[in-house]
Amino acid sequence: MGTALVYHEDMTAARLLWDDPECEIECPERLTTALERLQQRGLEQRCLRLAAREASEAELGLVHSPEYVALLQGTQALGTRELQTLSGQYDAVYFHPSTFHCARLAAGAALQLVDAVLAGAVRNGLALVRPPGHHSQRAAANGFCVFNNVAIAAKHAQRQHGLHRILIVDWDVHHGQGIQHIFEDDPSVLYFSWHRYEHGRFWPYLRESDADAVGQGPGLGFTVNLPWNQVGMGNADYVAAFLHVLLPVAFEFNPELVLVSAGFDSAIGDPEGQMQATPECFAHLTQLLQVLAGGRVCAVLEGGYHLESLSQSVCMMVQALLGDPAPPLSGPMVPHGSALESIQSVRVAQAPHWVSLQQQGVAPVLSPSPRSPEGRPSPLLLPGGPEFKAAATQDVAALSSLLDQLRLNPTPPVRTAVALTAPDAALALPSDVLCEEGSAAQEETQAWARPHEALAQDRALTALGKVLYLLDRILDGQKRSNLTSECTGEQWRCSHPSLCCSCHPGCGHSVWPVPRSPEAALSGCGAAGSAPRSQG
């Protein structure tokens, strides 16, 4: 099974027909730029390409009222002035004569992707769509969103495929209040959203976007809101949110399908989010989600308004869906104090509903909020001060503990090592690659070689000893990946077949011919640190 990419060029038809600085950022180039970048990197060609279809009126009716659908259908015949007047009745919305067609294609693309994944035709995929959907209400457009694509897909998965547990992960920088309202009393849908909130001072300015909004009635605990109360959140903050909130709850919920409201306005450079997470972070987040629901992950594009950041982030997500190793994360992996406060507030609000958040051994308590038990403000921790450094050290230790428990161990001290079966003075290695001299004990090597006649030869026996030694270094966490080279220089042998298979499709599980240049060989394998795996 592969990865689906669902798209239709007609979704670029709708565009703003009048001056509106607020709405002009939602433009057709969001799709064309992302698709061009996927093509340039050879990623589109590796996906199963599906042409989006229009959602039917019955499918739209899973979420939206008949009157609202009829209203939008009527926009096809309106002139520019009438469209502008109608748009003004909604918050941050514009209509175009093609909007109804585009929005039906966007919803239909999400439905097609879900059908393909649940039918087993593909393992996962991305619906590259516009207009976005997660703000849309039952009877109202909102925030560039016309039909609620992900909500419709979730309802469809319930009705047509009989699913009982669906996880929706919304990493758009805006709160997806439309999805929340649709499912807030439904215990079969777990909705997780992080979003720029700033204590209610950021759009959509809703009280129910805060951490203590946890659902209603039978849906209590199935709405998980993580509000970011300052801008500048980065890779460490996003990973910490997944490890300390989302993943513990998601594993306990045990979803049958993961839907991602994939908004990339939460990435670096975007004018809406003003966050600092790099595109590579979304590859890691996608990998973390793939351990859920048997890897059945359906991502649907939401926001993202910095074209370069958007297109790079889309590529990183697709690479992860295809199974490529995630590039290393840049910058210090220490969460901001404000992020830790938000994460802790979510854990407190959700603890009554989730056992995994009640057991401190499963998810360590992070730094406390700067308030005393009596509610009085505590002294602020100033960056660079001893209290700040101590709190940061505590948080890093807590995060490392959880990483160990989830088998997502931090990077070993040596990322890549090479062992040679004979000295080779001409071998020039990158500065961060260790040339390992060790070998397994002769008795152990001979014991492993005894059942295989070919391995009893001197050179093969030496190479086996090197392989066993390097494998031990991986298993004890000293190294990330290793290579063993025979002295002929004709071939490189990968000492970690599973890593080799994932990073070099032509390796055949053990050996592949490579150029004479060791740098080229290491670069092609990804073992030199250019694209290490984030797990394993």
Side-chain angles (χ1 to χ4, degrees), residues 6-35:
V6 191
Y7 174 78
H8 199 295
E9 63 182 6
D10 282 3
M11 285 186 283
T12 64
R15 61 173 60 246
L16 185 63
L17 298 176
W18 54 87
D19 291 334
D20 185 339
E22 183 179 33
C23 290
E24 66 184 6
I25 58 175
E26 205 297 291
C27 59
E29 290 75 20
R30 297 179 58 241
L31 291 195
T32 56
T33 303
L35 185 63

PDB file of all heavy atoms in Angstrom, residues 6-35:
ATOM      1  N   VAL A   6      -4.640  13.605  -3.238  1.00  0.00           N
ATOM      2  CA  VAL A   6      -5.929  13.939  -3.850  1.00  0.00           C
ATOM      3  C   VAL A   6      -5.934  15.431  -4.169  1.00  0.00           C
ATOM      4  O   VAL A   6      -5.673  16.263  -3.286  1.00  0.00           O
ATOM      5  CB  VAL A   6      -7.109  13.575  -2.929  1.00  0.00           C
ATOM      6  CG1 VAL A   6      -8.421  13.678  -3.701  1.00  0.00           C
ATOM      7  CG2 VAL A   6      -6.942  12.174  -2.356  1.00  0.00           C
ATOM      8  N   TYR A   7      -6.266  15.756  -5.418  1.00  0.00           N
ATOM      9  CA  TYR A   7      -6.165  17.145  -5.867  1.00  0.00           C
ATOM     10  C   TYR A   7      -7.047  17.323  -7.106  1.00  0.00           C
ATOM     11  O   TYR A   7      -7.362  16.351  -7.797  1.00  0.00           O
ATOM     12  CB  TYR A   7      -4.699  17.466  -6.209  1.00  0.00           C
ATOM     13  CG  TYR A   7      -4.471  18.831  -6.822  1.00  0.00           C
ATOM     14  CD1 TYR A   7      -4.449  19.968  -6.033  1.00  0.00           C
ATOM     15  CD2 TYR A   7      -4.246  18.971  -8.190  1.00  0.00           C
ATOM     16  CE1 TYR A   7      -4.232  21.223  -6.593  1.00  0.00           C
ATOM     17  CE2 TYR A   7      -4.022  20.214  -8.760  1.00  0.00           C
ATOM     18  CZ  TYR A   7      -4.013  21.340  -7.951  1.00  0.00           C
ATOM     19  OH  TYR A   7      -3.804  22.567  -8.507  1.00  0.00           O
ATOM     20  N   HIS A   8      -7.433  18.567  -7.356  1.00  0.00           N
ATOM     21  CA  HIS A   8      -8.106  18.896  -8.613  1.00  0.00           C
ATOM     22  C   HIS A   8      -7.799  20.354  -8.922  1.00  0.00           C
ATOM     23  O   HIS A   8      -7.964  21.238  -8.061  1.00  0.00           O
ATOM     24  CB  HIS A   8      -9.618  18.691  -8.512  1.00  0.00           C
ATOM     25  CG  HIS A   8     -10.308  18.580  -9.837  1.00  0.00           C
ATOM     26  ND1 HIS A   8     -10.364  19.635 -10.728  1.00  0.00           N
ATOM     27  CD2 HIS A   8     -10.962  17.542 -10.429  1.00  0.00           C
ATOM     28  CE1 HIS A   8     -11.022  19.254 -11.807  1.00  0.00           C
ATOM     29  NE2 HIS A   8     -11.394  17.989 -11.661  1.00  0.00           N
ATOM     30  N   GLU A   9      -7.362  20.618 -10.144  1.00  0.00           N
ATOM     31  CA  GLU A   9      -6.960  21.974 -10.497  1.00  0.00           C
ATOM     32  C   GLU A   9      -8.107  22.963 -10.421  1.00  0.00           C
ATOM     33  O   GLU A   9      -7.885  24.179 -10.286  1.00  0.00           O
ATOM     34  CB  GLU A   9      -6.352  21.987 -11.899  1.00  0.00           C
ATOM     35  CG  GLU A   9      -7.293  21.580 -13.011  1.00  0.00           C
ATOM     36  CD  GLU A   9      -6.623  21.575 -14.374  1.00  0.00           C
ATOM     37  OE1 GLU A   9      -5.405  21.773 -14.432  1.00  0.00           O
ATOM     38  OE2 GLU A   9      -7.351  21.386 -15.369  1.00  0.00           O
ATOM     39  N   ASP A  10      -9.350  22.507 -10.497  1.00  0.00           N
ATOM     40  CA  ASP A  10     -10.487  23.427 -10.408  1.00  0.00           C
ATOM     41  C   ASP A  10     -10.546  24.142  -9.060  1.00  0.00           C
ATOM     42  O   ASP A  10     -11.198  25.190  -8.945  1.00  0.00           O
ATOM     43  CB  ASP A  10     -11.804  22.682 -10.637  1.00  0.00           C
ATOM     44  CG  ASP A  10     -12.062  22.383 -12.110  1.00  0.00           C
ATOM     45  OD1 ASP A  10     -11.181  22.704 -12.936  1.00  0.00           O
ATOM     46  OD2 ASP A  10     -13.123  21.809 -12.429  1.00  0.00           O
ATOM     47  N   MET A  11      -9.898  23.575  -8.040  1.00  0.00           N
ATOM     48  CA  MET A  11      -9.921  24.226  -6.727  1.00  0.00           C
ATOM     49  C   MET A  11      -9.109  25.512  -6.702  1.00  0.00           C
ATOM     50  O   MET A  11      -9.124  26.234  -5.693  1.00  0.00           O
ATOM     51  CB  MET A  11      -9.441  23.246  -5.647  1.00  0.00           C
ATOM     52  CG  MET A  11     -10.477  22.196  -5.295  1.00  0.00           C
ATOM     53  SD  MET A  11     -10.008  21.122  -3.908  1.00  0.00           S
ATOM     54  CE  MET A  11      -8.854  20.013  -4.706  1.00  0.00           C
ATOM     55  N   THR A  12      -8.406  25.820  -7.778  1.00  0.00           N
ATOM     56  CA  THR A  12      -7.694  27.102  -7.866  1.00  0.00           C
ATOM     57  C   THR A  12      -8.539  28.198  -8.505  1.00  0.00           C
ATOM     58  O   THR A  12      -8.084  29.338  -8.641  1.00  0.00           O
ATOM     59  CB  THR A  12      -6.394  26.941  -8.688  1.00  0.00           C
ATOM     60  OG1 THR A  12      -6.733  26.579 -10.035  1.00  0.00           O
ATOM     61  CG2 THR A  12      -5.500  25.862  -8.092  1.00  0.00           C
ATOM     62  N   ALA A  13      -9.770  27.887  -8.892  1.00  0.00           N
ATOM     63  CA  ALA A  13     -10.589  28.852  -9.644  1.00  0.00           C
ATOM     64  C   ALA A  13     -11.079  30.018  -8.786  1.00  0.00           C
ATOM     65  O   ALA A  13     -11.123  31.164  -9.242  1.00  0.00           O
ATOM     66  CB  ALA A  13     -11.785  28.138 -10.281  1.00  0.00           C
ATOM     67  N   ALA A  14     -11.460  29.762  -7.556  1.00  0.00           N
ATOM     68  CA  ALA A  14     -12.006  30.823  -6.700  1.00  0.00           C
ATOM     69  C   ALA A  14     -10.894  31.755  -6.243  1.00  0.00           C
ATOM     70  O   ALA A  14      -9.830  31.306  -5.808  1.00  0.00           O
ATOM     71  CB  ALA A  14     -12.722  30.213  -5.496  1.00  0.00           C
ATOM     72  N   ARG A  15     -11.168  33.039  -6.346  1.00  0.00           N
ATOM     73  CA  ARG A  15     -10.200  34.036  -5.878  1.00  0.00           C
ATOM     74  C   ARG A  15     -10.952  35.298  -5.477  1.00  0.00           C
ATOM     75  O   ARG A  15     -12.103  35.508  -5.854  1.00  0.00           O
ATOM     76  CB  ARG A  15      -9.161  34.347  -6.944  1.00  0.00           C
ATOM     77  CG  ARG A  15      -9.704  34.931  -8.230  1.00  0.00           C
ATOM     78  CD  ARG A  15      -8.587  35.378  -9.179  1.00  0.00           C
ATOM     79  NE  ARG A  15      -7.706  34.286  -9.558  1.00  0.00           N
ATOM     80  CZ  ARG A  15      -6.427  34.209  -9.211  1.00  0.00           C
ATOM     81  NH1 ARG A  15      -5.897  35.165  -8.451  1.00  0.00           N
ATOM     82  NH2 ARG A  15      -5.674  33.217  -9.616  1.00  0.00           N
ATOM     83  N   LEU A  16     -10.282  36.148  -4.726  1.00  0.00           N
ATOM     84  CA  LEU A  16     -10.887  37.383  -4.240  1.00  0.00           C
ATOM     85  C   LEU A  16     -11.065  38.364  -5.402  1.00  0.00           C
ATOM     86  O   LEU A  16     -10.129  38.619  -6.162  1.00  0.00           O
ATOM     87  CB  LEU A  16     -10.001  37.992  -3.156  1.00  0.00           C
ATOM     88  CG  LEU A  16     -10.524  39.224  -2.429  1.00  0.00           C
ATOM     89  CD1 LEU A  16     -11.800  38.911  -1.662  1.00  0.00           C
ATOM     90  CD2 LEU A  16      -9.454  39.766  -1.478  1.00  0.00           C
ATOM     91  N   LEU A  17     -12.273  38.935  -5.536  1.00  0.00           N
ATOM     92  CA  LEU A  17     -12.596  39.828  -6.650  1.00  0.00           C
ATOM     93  C   LEU A  17     -12.611  41.296  -6.251  1.00  0.00           C
ATOM     94  O   LEU A  17     -12.897  42.161  -7.092  1.00  0.00           O
ATOM     95  CB  LEU A  17     -13.954  39.443  -7.241  1.00  0.00           C
ATOM     96  CG  LEU A  17     -14.045  38.031  -7.831  1.00  0.00           C
ATOM     97  CD1 LEU A  17     -15.473  37.744  -8.301  1.00  0.00           C
ATOM     98  CD2 LEU A  17     -13.049  37.851  -8.967  1.00  0.00           C
ATOM     99  N   TRP A  18     -12.347  41.609  -4.985  1.00  0.00           N
ATOM    100  CA  TRP A  18     -12.320  42.997  -4.528  1.00  0.00           C
ATOM    101  C   TRP A  18     -11.206  43.143  -3.510  1.00  0.00           C
ATOM    102  O   TRP A  18     -10.600  42.158  -3.079  1.00  0.00           O
ATOM    103  CB  TRP A  18     -13.683  43.388  -3.922  1.00  0.00           C
ATOM    104  CG  TRP A  18     -14.152  42.454  -2.832  1.00  0.00           C
ATOM    105  CD1 TRP A  18     -13.852  42.519  -1.505  1.00  0.00           C
ATOM    106  CD2 TRP A  18     -14.979  41.309  -3.011  1.00  0.00           C
ATOM    107  NE1 TRP A  18     -14.457  41.484  -0.830  1.00  0.00           N
ATOM    108  CE2 TRP A  18     -15.159  40.735  -1.731  1.00  0.00           C
ATOM    109  CE3 TRP A  18     -15.608  40.708  -4.114  1.00  0.00           C
ATOM    110  CZ2 TRP A  18     -15.926  39.591  -1.523  1.00  0.00           C
ATOM    111  CZ3 TRP A  18     -16.372  39.573  -3.913  1.00  0.00           C
ATOM    112  CH2 TRP A  18     -16.525  39.027  -2.628  1.00  0.00           C
ATOM    113  N   ASP A  19     -10.918  44.359  -3.123  1.00  0.00           N
ATOM    114  CA  ASP A  19      -9.852  44.613  -2.156  1.00  0.00           C
ATOM    115  C   ASP A  19     -10.305  44.249  -0.752  1.00  0.00           C
ATOM    116  O   ASP A  19     -11.334  44.736  -0.268  1.00  0.00           O
ATOM    117  CB  ASP A  19      -9.437  46.091  -2.193  1.00  0.00           C
ATOM    118  CG  ASP A  19      -8.721  46.461  -3.469  1.00  0.00           C
ATOM    119  OD1 ASP A  19      -8.116  45.555  -4.083  1.00  0.00           O
ATOM    120  OD2 ASP A  19      -8.772  47.640  -3.871  1.00  0.00           O
ATOM    121  N   ASP A  20      -9.538  43.366  -0.116  1.00  0.00           N
ATOM    122  CA  ASP A  20      -9.811  42.979   1.265  1.00  0.00           C
ATOM    123  C   ASP A  20      -8.512  42.426   1.845  1.00  0.00           C
ATOM    124  O   ASP A  20      -8.171  41.264   1.631  1.00  0.00           O
ATOM    125  CB  ASP A  20     -10.918  41.927   1.324  1.00  0.00           C
ATOM    126  CG  ASP A  20     -11.314  41.586   2.771  1.00  0.00           C
ATOM    127  OD1 ASP A  20     -10.508  41.835   3.688  1.00  0.00           O
ATOM    128  OD2 ASP A  20     -12.422  41.056   2.961  1.00  0.00           O
ATOM    129  N   PRO A  21      -7.748  43.255   2.557  1.00  0.00           N
ATOM    130  CA  PRO A  21      -6.446  42.815   3.077  1.00  0.00           C
ATOM    131  C   PRO A  21      -6.536  41.583   3.970  1.00  0.00           C
ATOM    132  O   PRO A  21      -5.591  40.794   4.033  1.00  0.00           O
ATOM    133  CB  PRO A  21      -5.955  44.041   3.863  1.00  0.00           C
ATOM    134  CG  PRO A  21      -6.693  45.202   3.276  1.00  0.00           C
ATOM    135  CD  PRO A  21      -8.042  44.663   2.884  1.00  0.00           C
ATOM    136  N   GLU A  22      -7.662  41.410   4.656  1.00  0.00           N
ATOM    137  CA  GLU A  22      -7.797  40.268   5.548  1.00  0.00           C
ATOM    138  C   GLU A  22      -7.919  38.961   4.773  1.00  0.00           C
ATOM    139  O   GLU A  22      -7.382  37.939   5.178  1.00  0.00           O
ATOM    140  CB  GLU A  22      -9.024  40.453   6.448  1.00  0.00           C
ATOM    141  CG  GLU A  22      -9.208  39.333   7.461  1.00  0.00           C
ATOM    142  CD  GLU A  22     -10.423  39.549   8.355  1.00  0.00           C
ATOM    143  OE1 GLU A  22     -11.423  40.125   7.881  1.00  0.00           O
ATOM    144  OE2 GLU A  22     -10.364  39.142   9.527  1.00  0.00           O
ATOM    145  N   CYS A  23      -8.617  38.993   3.645  1.00  0.00           N
ATOM    146  CA  CYS A  23      -8.920  37.760   2.914  1.00  0.00           C
ATOM    147  C   CYS A  23      -7.960  37.467   1.765  1.00  0.00           C
ATOM    148  O   CYS A  23      -7.962  36.338   1.246  1.00  0.00           O
ATOM    149  CB  CYS A  23     -10.343  37.821   2.361  1.00  0.00           C
ATOM    150  SG  CYS A  23     -11.639  37.710   3.625  1.00  0.00           S
ATOM    151  N   GLU A  24      -7.141  38.440   1.361  1.00  0.00           N
ATOM    152  CA  GLU A  24      -6.339  38.247   0.157  1.00  0.00           C
ATOM    153  C   GLU A  24      -5.288  37.151   0.305  1.00  0.00           C
ATOM    154  O   GLU A  24      -4.795  36.619  -0.701  1.00  0.00           O
ATOM    155  CB  GLU A  24      -5.674  39.568  -0.238  1.00  0.00           C
ATOM    156  CG  GLU A  24      -4.648  40.071   0.770  1.00  0.00           C
ATOM    157  CD  GLU A  24      -4.085  41.429   0.384  1.00  0.00           C
ATOM    158  OE1 GLU A  24      -4.583  42.003  -0.607  1.00  0.00           O
ATOM    159  OE2 GLU A  24      -3.160  41.906   1.066  1.00  0.00           O
ATOM    160  N   ILE A  25      -4.943  36.762   1.524  1.00  0.00           N
ATOM    161  CA  ILE A  25      -3.906  35.742   1.712  1.00  0.00           C
ATOM    162  C   ILE A  25      -4.413  34.345   1.333  1.00  0.00           C
ATOM    163  O   ILE A  25      -3.608  33.445   1.067  1.00  0.00           O
ATOM    164  CB  ILE A  25      -3.388  35.719   3.167  1.00  0.00           C
ATOM    165  CG1 ILE A  25      -4.526  35.467   4.157  1.00  0.00           C
ATOM    166  CG2 ILE A  25      -2.677  37.022   3.492  1.00  0.00           C
ATOM    167  CD1 ILE A  25      -4.051  35.321   5.591  1.00  0.00           C
ATOM    168  N   GLU A  26      -5.750  34.148   1.280  1.00  0.00           N
ATOM    169  CA  GLU A  26      -6.278  32.837   0.884  1.00  0.00           C
ATOM    170  C   GLU A  26      -6.416  32.857  -0.636  1.00  0.00           C
ATOM    171  O   GLU A  26      -7.447  33.225  -1.174  1.00  0.00           O
ATOM    172  CB  GLU A  26      -7.621  32.569   1.573  1.00  0.00           C
ATOM    173  CG  GLU A  26      -7.952  31.088   1.714  1.00  0.00           C
ATOM    174  CD  GLU A  26      -8.099  30.375   0.375  1.00  0.00           C
ATOM    175  OE1 GLU A  26      -9.084  30.649  -0.346  1.00  0.00           O
ATOM    176  OE2 GLU A  26      -7.199  29.561   0.047  1.00  0.00           O
ATOM    177  N   CYS A  27      -5.348  32.436  -1.310  1.00  0.00           N
ATOM    178  CA  CYS A  27      -5.250  32.611  -2.759  1.00  0.00           C
ATOM    179  C   CYS A  27      -4.966  31.274  -3.448  1.00  0.00           C
ATOM    180  O   CYS A  27      -4.497  30.320  -2.809  1.00  0.00           O
ATOM    181  CB  CYS A  27      -4.146  33.622  -3.080  1.00  0.00           C
ATOM    182  SG  CYS A  27      -2.520  33.126  -2.461  1.00  0.00           S
ATOM    183  N   PRO A  28      -5.223  31.173  -4.755  1.00  0.00           N
ATOM    184  CA  PRO A  28      -4.988  29.922  -5.479  1.00  0.00           C
ATOM    185  C   PRO A  28      -3.541  29.451  -5.440  1.00  0.00           C
ATOM    186  O   PRO A  28      -3.264  28.249  -5.525  1.00  0.00           O
ATOM    187  CB  PRO A  28      -5.410  30.267  -6.911  1.00  0.00           C
ATOM    188  CG  PRO A  28      -6.352  31.413  -6.785  1.00  0.00           C
ATOM    189  CD  PRO A  28      -5.862  32.198  -5.609  1.00  0.00           C
ATOM    190  N   GLU A  29      -2.606  30.410  -5.322  1.00  0.00           N
ATOM    191  CA  GLU A  29      -1.189  30.046  -5.313  1.00  0.00           C
ATOM    192  C   GLU A  29      -0.818  29.141  -4.143  1.00  0.00           C
ATOM    193  O   GLU A  29       0.227  28.470  -4.189  1.00  0.00           O
ATOM    194  CB  GLU A  29      -0.322  31.310  -5.296  1.00  0.00           C
ATOM    195  CG  GLU A  29      -0.344  32.098  -6.590  1.00  0.00           C
ATOM    196  CD  GLU A  29      -1.634  32.877  -6.800  1.00  0.00           C
ATOM    197  OE1 GLU A  29      -2.365  33.128  -5.799  1.00  0.00           O
ATOM    198  OE2 GLU A  29      -1.933  33.239  -7.967  1.00  0.00           O
ATOM    199  N   ARG A  30      -1.642  29.112  -3.124  1.00  0.00           N
ATOM    200  CA  ARG A  30      -1.383  28.199  -2.007  1.00  0.00           C
ATOM    201  C   ARG A  30      -1.339  26.753  -2.505  1.00  0.00           C
ATOM    202  O   ARG A  30      -0.513  25.952  -2.062  1.00  0.00           O
ATOM    203  CB  ARG A  30      -2.462  28.345  -0.929  1.00  0.00           C
ATOM    204  CG  ARG A  30      -2.507  29.720  -0.267  1.00  0.00           C
ATOM    205  CD  ARG A  30      -3.623  29.802   0.766  1.00  0.00           C
ATOM    206  NE  ARG A  30      -3.473  28.795   1.778  1.00  0.00           N
ATOM    207  CZ  ARG A  30      -4.366  27.837   2.027  1.00  0.00           C
ATOM    208  NH1 ARG A  30      -5.479  27.776   1.305  1.00  0.00           N
ATOM    209  NH2 ARG A  30      -4.152  26.950   2.967  1.00  0.00           N
ATOM    210  N   LEU A  31      -2.228  26.408  -3.420  1.00  0.00           N
ATOM    211  CA  LEU A  31      -2.246  25.045  -3.949  1.00  0.00           C
ATOM    212  C   LEU A  31      -1.196  24.846  -5.034  1.00  0.00           C
ATOM    213  O   LEU A  31      -0.476  23.838  -5.038  1.00  0.00           O
ATOM    214  CB  LEU A  31      -3.630  24.698  -4.514  1.00  0.00           C
ATOM    215  CG  LEU A  31      -4.785  24.546  -3.541  1.00  0.00           C
ATOM    216  CD1 LEU A  31      -5.954  23.852  -4.236  1.00  0.00           C
ATOM    217  CD2 LEU A  31      -4.387  23.772  -2.303  1.00  0.00           C
ATOM    218  N   THR A  32      -1.110  25.776  -5.972  1.00  0.00           N
ATOM    219  CA  THR A  32      -0.202  25.573  -7.100  1.00  0.00           C
ATOM    220  C   THR A  32       1.252  25.533  -6.644  1.00  0.00           C
ATOM    221  O   THR A  32       2.045  24.724  -7.151  1.00  0.00           O
ATOM    222  CB  THR A  32      -0.399  26.677  -8.146  1.00  0.00           C
ATOM    223  OG1 THR A  32      -0.219  27.972  -7.536  1.00  0.00           O
ATOM    224  CG2 THR A  32      -1.801  26.613  -8.740  1.00  0.00           C
ATOM    225  N   THR A  33       1.612  26.367  -5.677  1.00  0.00           N
ATOM    226  CA  THR A  33       2.990  26.375  -5.182  1.00  0.00           C
ATOM    227  C   THR A  33       3.322  25.069  -4.466  1.00  0.00           C
ATOM    228  O   THR A  33       4.400  24.499  -4.651  1.00  0.00           O
ATOM    229  CB  THR A  33       3.225  27.568  -4.246  1.00  0.00           C
ATOM    230  OG1 THR A  33       2.921  28.785  -4.926  1.00  0.00           O
ATOM    231  CG2 THR A  33       4.667  27.608  -3.760  1.00  0.00           C
ATOM    232  N   ALA A  34       2.397  24.594  -3.643  1.00  0.00           N
ATOM    233  CA  ALA A  34       2.632  23.338  -2.927  1.00  0.00           C
ATOM    234  C   ALA A  34       2.757  22.175  -3.902  1.00  0.00           C
ATOM    235  O   ALA A  34       3.636  21.313  -3.757  1.00  0.00           O
ATOM    236  CB  ALA A  34       1.507  23.084  -1.931  1.00  0.00           C
ATOM    237  N   LEU A  35       1.886  22.149  -4.906  1.00  0.00           N
ATOM    238  CA  LEU A  35       1.939  21.053  -5.874  1.00  0.00           C
ATOM    239  C   LEU A  35       3.230  21.107  -6.691  1.00  0.00           C
ATOM    240  O   LEU A  35       3.863  20.064  -6.944  1.00  0.00           O
ATOM    241  CB  LEU A  35       0.724  21.113  -6.791  1.00  0.00           C
ATOM    242  CG  LEU A  35       0.588  19.950  -7.780  1.00  0.00           C
ATOM    243  CD1 LEU A  35       0.409  18.629  -7.032  1.00  0.00           C
ATOM    244  CD2 LEU A  35      -0.579  20.178  -8.736  1.00  0.00           C
TER     245      LEU A  35
END
